[in-house]
Every structure is written in C-alpha cells, then in structure tokens.
Amino acid sequence: MEVRVGSVEDVRRDGCRTVDVNGRPVGVISVGEEFFAISDKCPHMGASMCQGSLSGTFVPAGPHEYVYGRAGMVIRCPWHGWEFDIESGRSLLDPKRVGLKTYRVTQEDGEVVLHV
Ligand code: FES
C-alpha cells in the first residue's frame, strides 16, 4: 500500500510528519535529501517519536578515541530519552531486543510516498 505524505518541500519543512496508517501512527522524517519512516509510537510508553529530537551518537572507535557520527540519524524520545537509529529502527541501548518498525519511503513527482 502507498500513502501520499505530502510534497517534498512541505515534509522537509516539517522535519517529521505523522501519518495515520490503518490506525497506526507512522513518522516520516526528513534528513538532508533523504526521507525515513518509523513507527511513531515509542515502545517504552507510547510517546510520539516525531515530537523528539534528531541527533547523532558516538560511533565505535579505537581506544581513547571519541568519534561522533550518524548526525541526524538518531531520534530521541521526548518523554524519557530512549534513542533509536532512524534507518534501522533499532534502539541504541538494546538493539537486539528493542526497536521501531521501519518503512520504505520514496519520492515521486515531487511528493513523498510511504510504502507500508
Ligand atoms: S515513552 Fe519513549 S522513552 Fe519513555
């Protein structure tokens, strides 16, 4: 099923737009030239992830090295701060057990299209 989310310009301006897909909230997120989509319901207590903030995180590096990466690819829940990678949906703290469902997003004729 395809869901028209809005124009590329509008979704970029919003940063994150929540759409209802058969009663399930899905957050469509703009990062640079790309779009990502995740479940917009935090697995902890149900907050809207779209109300959270985007950032990066420290990535694996050598001993005594601190390398910041994944800029704009980590979303932090607005209620208690759980963090998720918006590309994989996996929790940064417990990636094997906790995550958000992800969806494919494309751009067609100037519109953002969510594939569910
Ligand atoms: S509701 Fe998201 S971390 Fe608690």
Side-chain angles (χ1 to χ4, degrees), residues 42 44-47 77 79-82:
C42 180
H44 181 217
M45 293 179 74
C77 179
W79 286 2
H80 313 102
W82 285 21

Side-chain angles (χ1 to χ4, degrees), residues 68-107:
Y68 189 79
R70 305 289 290 154
M73 298 298 289
V74 174
I75 195 162
R76 178 175 297 127
C77 179
W79 286 2
H80 313 102
W82 285 21
E83 295 177 311
F84 301 86
D85 186 296
I86 62 170
E87 192 167 24
S88 68
R90 306 315 306 169
S91 157
L92 296 195
L93 188 64
D94 192 357
K96 289 188 177 152
R97 293 191 325 142
V98 180
L100 300 165
K101 184 169 175 48
T102 59
Y103 303 86
R104 192 166 69 88
V105 184
T106 58
Q107 297 177 47

Side-chain angles (χ1 to χ4, degrees), residues 5-114:
V5 179
S7 74
V8 167
E9 290 173 8
D10 287 350
V11 179
R12 279 208 182 111
R13 187 190 59 238
D14 290 355
C16 187
R17 179 175 283 194
T18 303
V19 293
D20 182 278
V21 179
N22 298 328
R24 288 175 289 136
V26 175
V28 180
I29 303 166
S30 166
V31 179
E33 298 295 312
E34 296 184 89
F35 294 94
F36 300 88
I38 56 173
S39 165
D40 192 29
K41 188 173 179 183
C42 180
H44 181 217
M45 293 179 74
S48 165
M49 296 303 297
C50 267
Q51 302 303 311
S53 56
L54 291 172
S55 65
T57 188
F58 286 99
V59 296
H64 309 294
E65 282 186 313
Y66 299 94
V67 178
Y68 189 79
R70 305 289 290 154
M73 298 298 289
V74 174
I75 195 162
R76 178 175 297 127
C77 179
W79 286 2
H80 313 102
W82 285 21
E83 295 177 311
F84 301 86
D85 186 296
I86 62 170
E87 192 167 24
S88 68
R90 306 315 306 169
S91 157
L92 296 195
L93 188 64
D94 192 357
K96 289 188 177 152
R97 293 191 325 142
V98 180
L100 300 165
K101 184 169 175 48
T102 59
Y103 303 86
R104 192 166 69 88
V105 184
T106 58
Q107 297 177 47
E108 295 171 22
D109 301 324
E111 282 197 297
V112 178
V113 179
L114 173 65

